Amino acid sequence: MIKEMLLKDLPQVLTLEKQIFSNPWTKEVFKKIIENKKSYILNNAKNSQLLGYICGWLESNICTVANLAIDEKYHRKGLGTQLVKHLMQACKSEEPSHFYLEVRESNEKAIKFYKTLAFSIIGKRKNYYSKPKEDACLMVRAQ
Ligand SMILES: CC(C)(COP(=O)(O)OP(=O)(O)OC[C@H]1O[C@@H](n2cnc3c(N)ncnc32)[C@H](O)[C@@H]1OP(=O)(O)O)[C@@H](O)C(=O)NCCC(=O)NCCS
């Protein structure tokens, strides 16, 4: 079940964020995203357990996917695909020309995942990430 992310979801979101990412977003960053951008959670409909979330925004006809995570126990069940498609659908009325994202260049799983959604690597951003320092792959998909 996909719903808009609300402030009340933040404790569960932050727990998952810290489990998954080496340089997790803070509560303040998520609060700003909830207030100003697009953010969705995916819950287990039976017990409301958080299974994943996605954040993004639309600017100058480009929809940026900024943060996507699925609880490791639920990988390869199509949930990440559902969340990306939901964000794309939510942006549709604003007619984005492209979807864009950055991903750690060592994150081969995510790169493979995004390729299944028709994203292609178009370049690199040097030392984009910290903890550990790493280049970002820039990936784009046309609408
Ligand atoms: C990347 C991520 C969101 C994928 O979510 P998911 O729900 O497991 O992905 P899906 O089940 O929708 O996968 C769709 C397809 O992508 C590809 N894919 C997904 N995970 C993959 C992996 N670990 N290895 C290879 N291909 C993979 C497969 O082709 C898969 O289809 P299949 O399972 O039928 O073979 C998830 O692995 C995750 O949360 N990773 C940690 C956080 C992260 O890296 N986020 C992205 C940062 S930009």
Side-chain angles (χ1 to χ4, degrees), residues 20 68-70 75-81 107 109 113-114 116:
I20 290 181
L68 168 66
I70 300 293
H75 282 184
R76 304 300 289 266
K77 295 181 185 299
L79 302 182
T81 302
N107 194 348
K109 294 176 184 177
F113 164 76
Y114 287 121
T116 69

Side-chain angles (χ1 to χ4, degrees), residues 54 74 82 117 131 135:
I54 191 165
Y74 298 91
Q82 276 185 43
L117 285 162
K131 298 184 186 174
D135 297 349

Side-chain angles (χ1 to χ4, degrees), residues 10-27 30 50 53 67 69:
L10 283 187
Q12 283 196 82
V13 167
L14 287 165
T15 301
L16 196 51
E17 175 81 6
K18 284 178 199 156
Q19 273 171 24
I20 290 181
F21 294 109
S22 59
N23 193 9
W25 281 10
T26 61
K27 191 177 188 175
F30 276 106
L50 180 76
Y53 52 85
N67 197 342

